[in-house]
Amino acid sequence: MEQLLQQIEACKNEVAAFKAHTPDDVEAFRIKYLGTKGLVKSIMGEMKNVPNEQKKAFGQILNQFKAFVEAAFAQLQANNEANSQNETANFDWSLPGDTTLVGTRHPLSIVRNQIVSIFKKLGFAVAEGPEIEDDWHNFGAMNLPEDHPARDMQDTFYINQNPAWLLRTHTSSVQARVMENQKPPIRVICPGRVYRNETISARAHCFFHQIEGLYIDENVSFADLKQTLYFFVQEMFGKDVKVRFRPSYFPFTEPSAEMDISCLICGGDGCNVCKHTGWVEILGSGMVHPKVLENFGIDSTKYTGFAFGMGVERICQLKYRVNDLRLYSQNDVRFLKQFTGAL
Ligand code: DAH
C-alpha cells in the first residue's frame, strides 16, 4: 500500500514538471500517462490488490490522481494551442517567399532545338552518328581522299593512326552514315558535336556544334537549296534579315556556296562581329558531289541533292550576342541563367 502511494506521488511530481514544447510532446504525454498502456491505467489496475476495508479511501486517492493527470493534460493542450496561434498571429505574411531555383536550358541546346524544329516543318527528319569516326566516314566517303589538301583545313584529333580512328571534324560524316543506310528520297538534319585541334580563344574552340542538312531526290536543284535556307533564316532571325550566297569550295559539293546574313549586331553598319563588312557567314552548302552519291550506290544521273552545314555557336552568337566561345563551356551560372526562353 505504502509503495503504491509513493508511486502515485512520484508520478504526480513528474506530471507537474512535464514541459511540452511541441504538439508531439503533448501527444507523448498522453501516451505515457493516459494511453491504454499508460501509467494511470496501470496504477488503477492495482485496485484489485487493495484490501476491501481500504478500497473506499484508496478509490478516492486514485480518482483524484486520475483527475490530476487529466487536468495537467488539458493544460498542456491549451498552452500548445495558444502558442501555435501566437506563432500564426506574429508571422509576417508580407515576407517574400523562399525562391526556388529553376534550371534553364543551355543556350546551345535552345538554339539547336530551334533550328531542328524549323527544318522539321519542312519535313526533315533528325539523324545522328558517332562522335568517334573512322577515316572513311569523316573524309574518304565525303570525297576527301588521303592526300587531299583540304584535310589540312580540319585539324583532326586522331585516336588511332592505323587504322585511323578520329574525333569527327564535321557532321558531314553523318551524311555518309545516312546514305549508307537509306535510299533516296532522303531528307535529314544531323545535329552534333565536332572536334578540331585548335588553340582555345574567344573565336576558336577544340569542340563545337554543327547542324548538317542533306536532301536527295529526283530533280533537286540549287534553287531548292536557296529557298530552303532562305526559309530557315527568316524563321530563325526574322523577315528583315538579308542573305547572300558566295561561291566557295568544299570537296563534297559541286557547286559550293557559303551563305552570309546581314549582321544582326550592327544592322549592317559594320562592327567587329562582321569585321566591318555588314555580313556574317553562317553556313557552307552546295549540291552533293556526284562522287559522294556514287560512293553509296546512289545513281547520280537519276538523283541530285543539296547539303549544308552550319555552326550552332555562331548562330547562337548572333541571336544572343555571345561574344566569347569559351562562355559556352565554362558553366558559369551567371551566364547560363540568362537564357530562360527554354524550348
Ligand atoms: N563540313 C563543312 C565544315 O565543317 C561544312 C559544310 C559545307 C557542310 C558544305 C556541308 C556542305 O554539308 O555542303 O566546314
Side-chain angles (χ1 to χ4, degrees), residues 153-180:
M153 291 179 354
Q154 308 195 343
D155 313 278
T156 312
F157 280 120
Y158 282 91
I159 290 173
N160 193 34
Q161 283 294 346
N162 199 9
W165 285 102
L166 47 89
L167 297 179
R168 67 180 177 198
T169 58
H170 53 183
T171 45
S172 301
S173 59
V174 189
Q175 286 192 40
R177 296 262 162 207
V178 169
M179 285 186 273
E180 199 166 64

Side-chain angles (χ1 to χ4, degrees), residues 177-207:
R177 296 262 162 207
V178 169
M179 285 186 273
E180 199 166 64
N181 293 312
Q182 292 179 36
K183 295 266 155 284
I186 289 171
R187 206 185 292 172
V188 290
I189 46 164
C190 325
R193 181 176 284 183
V194 301
Y195 302 83
R196 290 187 200 177
N197 190 358
E198 302 233 20
T199 310
I200 296 170
S201 71
R203 306 178 68 87
H205 213 294
C206 59
F207 65 80

Side-chain angles (χ1 to χ4, degrees), residues 154 169-170 172 175 196 210 212-213 250 252-253 284-286 307-309:
Q154 308 195 343
T169 58
H170 53 183
S172 301
Q175 286 192 40
R196 290 187 200 177
Q210 290 188 330
E212 192 82 11
F250 298 103
F252 28 90
T253 45
S285 64
F308 57 86

Side-chain angles (χ1 to χ4, degrees), residues 138 142 144 153-154 169-173 175 194 196 208 210-214 225 248-258 281 283-289 306-311:
N138 195 76
M142 300 315 290
L144 278 138
M153 291 179 354
Q154 308 195 343
T169 58
H170 53 183
T171 45
S172 301
S173 59
Q175 286 192 40
V194 301
R196 290 187 200 177
F208 52 98
Q210 290 188 330
I211 297 199
E212 192 82 11
L214 177 67
L225 163 64
S248 184
Y249 170 77
F250 298 103
F252 28 90
T253 45
E254 181 59 35
S256 305
E258 280 170 324
E281 181 208 318
L283 56 83
S285 64
M287 300 305 292
V288 181
H289 198 292
F306 67 72
F308 57 86
M310 67 180 91

